[in-house]
Amino acid sequence: NAGVTQTPKFQVLKTGQSMTLQCAQDMNHEYMSWYRQDPGMGLRLIHYSVGAGITDQGEVPNGYNVSRSTTEDFPLRLLSAAPSQTSVYFCASRPSLGTEAFFGQGTRLTVV
Amino acid sequence: DAKTTQPTSMDCAEGRAANLPCNHSTISGNEYVYWYRQIHSQGPQYIIHGLKNNETNEMASLIITEDRKSSTLILPHATLRDTAVYYCIVRALNSGYALNFGKGTSLLVTP
């Protein structure tokens, strides 16, 4: 059981480039989400999904797209990277709303 | 979700109990108290949660006051690896998806 796996762990992008952050879980959890964490701040929800084919926006969705074609995978796409998107990104999954959330180890993204 | 108040930072000697307080005076009857922690540069890790009764698991104990307006997370024998930011989150089971982590308490366990 690998839990929640995020790739890559580190990434440097130039302004305007696009990329996809990968997130996969092997626990058959329905709920998956993406958070970003900026220095000295708590985690803020970007997008979430309550099942395959269903996604919704969180607190800070602008500049990001998601899709959920399978239960296991929930990729986060940066359409045109901006320096303001420099952050640490965490993916999380959980079986249902009231249960504990499992987090990946994070992707540290720098946009120059 | 009810607002929570935690101290910004705390110290604890290795081997001693670490008692981390959380105030949640506006908690509603259907809201649970959750604790997560985040060790430097890692993803948050679930610790424990409870509604009104005290709870214990292999990681920690959660003590909730009878009026439910505050709670304490207890790490019975703190180790250096327990140095982390600890987040107290109060939420109902059906209160939406986001976990509001806030600033948490930075716990430093010293040798």
Side-chain angles (χ1 to χ4, degrees), chain A residues 7-104:
Chain A
T7 55
K9 288 186 170 52
F10 301 93
Q11 183 71 48
V12 178
L13 287 180
K14 293 183 179 178
T15 298
Q17 285 185 315
S18 63
M19 80 158 296
T20 299
L21 308 186
Q22 301 292 344
C23 176
Q25 54 95 3
D26 61 359
M27 298 172 283
N28 202 32
H29 288 171
E30 288 297 317
Y31 293 79
M32 296 187 74
S33 59
W34 278 100
Y35 290 83
R36 62 177 286 175
Q37 185 173 34
D38 300 311
M41 298 183 66
L43 283 78
R44 292 183 293 169
L45 183 66
I46 305 172
H47 284 285
Y48 66 96
S49 169
V50 300
I54 306 168
T55 64
D56 207 344
Q57 296 179 351
E59 179 186 357
V60 287
N62 292 339
Y64 307 94
N65 273 357
V66 293
S67 60
R68 184 96 180 271
S69 57
T70 67
T71 299
E72 294 78 19
D73 299 301
F74 190 44
L76 178 72
R77 297 184 188 85
L78 280 70
L79 308 173
S80 177
S84 60
Q85 294 179 303
T86 293
S87 189
V88 181
Y89 292 84
F90 291 102
C91 178
S93 77
R94 53 181 165 172
S96 60
L97 272 179
T99 54
E100 63 189 88
F102 295 82
F103 285 80

Side-chain angles (χ1 to χ4, degrees), chain B residues 48-56 61-66:
Chain B
I48 198 167
H49 75 282
L51 182 63
K52 60 177 75 172
N53 298 321
N54 298 337
E55 302 287 343
T56 295
S61 294
L62 173 61
I63 308 298
I64 303 174
T65 58
E66 192 168 342

Side-chain angles (χ1 to χ4, degrees), chain A residues 31 33 35 37 94 97-98 101, chain B residues 34 36 38 43 46 93 97 99:
Chain A
Y31 293 79
S33 59
Y35 290 83
Q37 185 173 34
R94 53 181 165 172
L97 272 179
Chain B
Y34 292 80
Y36 284 78
Q38 187 174 24
Y46 166 84
L93 294 182
Y97 194 84
L99 293 172

